[in-house]
Amino acid sequence: MNTTPSSNPHFTSTTTSDRPRSHQDQPQVDATKVASAAGRRALVLGGGGSTGNAWLIGVIAGLFDAGLDAPQADLIIGTSAGSTAAAQITSATPIELFDAILAAEAQPRTAPGGSARGPVPIRPAANHMETTSAIIAAAEDAADMRRRMGAAALETAATSHSSVQTRWRATVAARLPSQLWPQQRMLIPAVDAHTGEPVVFDRDSGVDLVDAVAASCSSGPAYSIGGGRYIDGGYRSNADNADLATGYARVLVLSPFGGRSRTPVGWGMHLATQVDELRAGGSRVETIFPGSKSEHMFGANAMDLSLRPPAALAGYSQGRALAEQLTEFWR
């Protein structure tokens, strides 16, 4: 974990239906009213690509192995890669998920055509970071940034083959032990690509879990659900969207990006700002970030599949080490 001093004594802070409805008729969570359903404990799982997902599973498995069952939270908020992790930990045990990541290390990976390949090239991720950074730099504020991101994603979707979405949905579905929404409350943020407005899906949204996760993880072409188009939930507020835990007594945030944001501080999208607001509202908040020795696995390297096992192991070690400190906080 990041060990920079902070006001926190232990840690540093800086929606199922059979068929999706049309975009116009589709109910969506009003994020401003989430607090009315608040409970005791909220678990926030931030975005961070493939390695971020592995690290999240590792941390949760480490905590679980040491006696702290984080998936039993009253609310789980999962954004982008964190939405995949949220769906996974509510339908399989953390240890099963962790072991599966380590087991995949020994399996030969094949390209779509079946030929063996080495580590996934990281340049496409770097190119994506450059493109989105330019959009952020040109935007006037967060709402303008989301609109610009949506427009770019819609343009990409217009030039891509329809099979791209079909393959993406199948990929996401294969990652989930269950494709049903869990009984406990789960929120999955995304952004409407047409309007730039934030969207939060839950089990009452009339959207399949697979589609909600696929939309929240859509950092390339806009993802279609009914008549709507959606992009990555990390553009809603930040890669963590911890503000959705407003009203919860205890909030545990796992942030693969270490709470960082590429947006200006003045936009109010940084995790530190959200943590301060949660605490001002009476919530106790703890955050867990990747340690300095594992930071290279994220960012531009976030889609390198060869880094998933070491990212999971790093997360597991952190979870085991922090479980005792977190037990009183979480109970």
Side-chain angles (χ1 to χ4, degrees):
M1 61 179 284
N2 189 323
T3 56
T4 305
S6 74
S7 58
N8 185 321
H10 298 307
F11 308 98
T12 57
S13 299
T14 41
T15 52
T16 299
S17 68
D18 293 333
R19 181 176 300 172
R21 306 180 187 182
S22 70
H23 173 58
Q24 291 79 10
D25 297 334
Q26 175 183 300
Q28 297 167 354
V29 175
D30 181 352
T32 63
K33 297 180 180 179
V34 169
S36 64
R40 292 193 304 123
R41 301 175 299 182
L43 175 64
V44 180
L45 306 178
S50 183
T51 58
N53 169 268
W55 178 81
L56 290 169
I57 296 300
V59 173
I60 295 167
L63 292 171
F64 185 85
D65 238 2
L68 193 154
D69 194 349
Q72 290 303 309
D74 302 290
L75 168 69
I76 299 179
I77 300 165
T79 301
S80 195
S83 70
T84 305
Q88 290 169 327
I89 65 172
T90 53
S91 53
T93 70
I95 303 305
E96 289 173 332
L97 297 167
F98 176 69
D99 287 344
I101 294 173
L102 299 188
E105 181 179 28
Q107 300 299 318
R109 299 190 180 96
T110 58
S115 59
R117 60 170 171 80
V120 175
I122 63 173
R123 187 59 188 167
N127 287 341
H128 178 72
M129 294 285 282
E130 292 172 3
T131 299
T132 53
S133 292
I135 292 175
I136 293 170
E140 296 180 359
D141 52 28
D144 185 38
M145 180 269 292
R146 288 192 292 265
R147 287 191 294 268
R148 289 171 181 262
M149 291 290 185
L154 288 169
E155 183 177 351
T156 301
T159 60
S160 62
H161 195 277
S162 60
S163 63
V164 171
Q165 167 141 333
T166 301
R167 291 197 303 269
W168 176 234
R169 191 183 194 281
T171 297
V172 171
R175 295 171 178 168
L176 308 186
S178 171
Q179 296 181 20
L180 300 178
W181 285 93
Q183 290 302 309
Q184 70 201 101
R185 187 166 176 76
M186 179 189 294
L187 301 179
I188 298 180
V191 171
D192 188 311
H194 287 291
T195 66
E197 290 297 315
V199 172
V200 183
F201 299 113
D202 71 358
R203 64 177 291 110
D204 298 320
S205 292
V207 170
D208 289 344
L209 177 61
V210 174
D211 288 315
V213 172
S216 188
C217 295
S218 185
S219 58
Y223 184 80
S224 300
I225 303 178
R229 302 291 185 272
Y230 302 92
I231 59 174
D232 197 295
Y235 299 128
R236 176 194 167 273
S237 183
N238 69 357
D240 307 292
N241 289 297
D243 62 297
L244 291 174
T246 296
Y248 280 74
R250 298 171 181 81
V251 182
L252 177 60
V253 183
L254 277 58
S255 177
F257 282 145
R260 296 186 296 274
S261 174
R262 294 185 291 153
T263 61
V265 175
W267 291 5
M269 298 176 68
H270 286 62
L271 177 59
T273 301
Q274 296 184 5
V275 168
D276 288 344
E277 291 173 350
L278 287 169
R279 288 175 176 157
S283 300
R284 293 178 59 189
V285 185
E286 302 287 6
T287 63
I288 303 178
F289 302 154
S292 58
K293 293 183 179 180
S294 59
E295 288 179 342
H296 68 282
M297 301 179 191
F298 309 99
N301 294 325
M303 302 311 295
D304 187 340
L305 298 184
S306 70
L307 293 177
R308 279 179 58 79
L313 287 168
Y316 179 85
S317 295
Q318 286 185 265
R320 289 279 298 187
L322 296 171
E324 183 176 354
Q325 296 177 2
L326 284 168
T327 297
E328 184 279 329
F329 163 76
W330 195 244
R331 66 164 54 116

